[in-house]
Amino acid sequence: MTCARPEDDSRTWRTADAVHIDVRGLEAPEPMIAILRAIDAGEVDTALIAHLDREPIFLYPELDDRGWAYELLDSSCGSSDCEDGVMLRMVRWGS
């Protein structure tokens, strides 16, 4: 799984299995706002994987209200250049 941002340093990118959004380094509540904007915009047609500094406990009720399931993923990608943090995988219920 791709852990780091693309070389162009964009905060969002797409892989074969998910849309990724990197919100590390943003001040609260910006990570939650960015994730909810991505979900509400309807542009996520697969899973959404958020790369965060910490577990987003205040995001969970918002995801529940919008019909999204979520799970924390192992953030270790098996290489020394992998950045620290938390990865949260989200999918719309029924997807």
Side-chain angles (χ1 to χ4, degrees), residues 23-72:
V23 293
R24 292 174 291 192
L26 298 178
E27 293 290 325
E30 289 302 315
M32 182 168 74
I33 291 169
I35 292 166
L36 293 176
R37 278 187 187 146
I39 287 171
D40 292 343
E43 297 174 2
V44 179
D45 56 354
T46 59
L48 176 64
I49 298 178
H51 301 256
L52 303 122
D53 291 316
R54 65 189 60 82
E55 186 175 2
I57 59 173
F58 297 111
L59 176 62
Y60 298 150
E62 298 292 333
L63 294 172
D64 291 335
D65 289 347
R66 287 167 169 80
W68 284 71
Y70 46 88
E71 66 176 324
L72 285 175

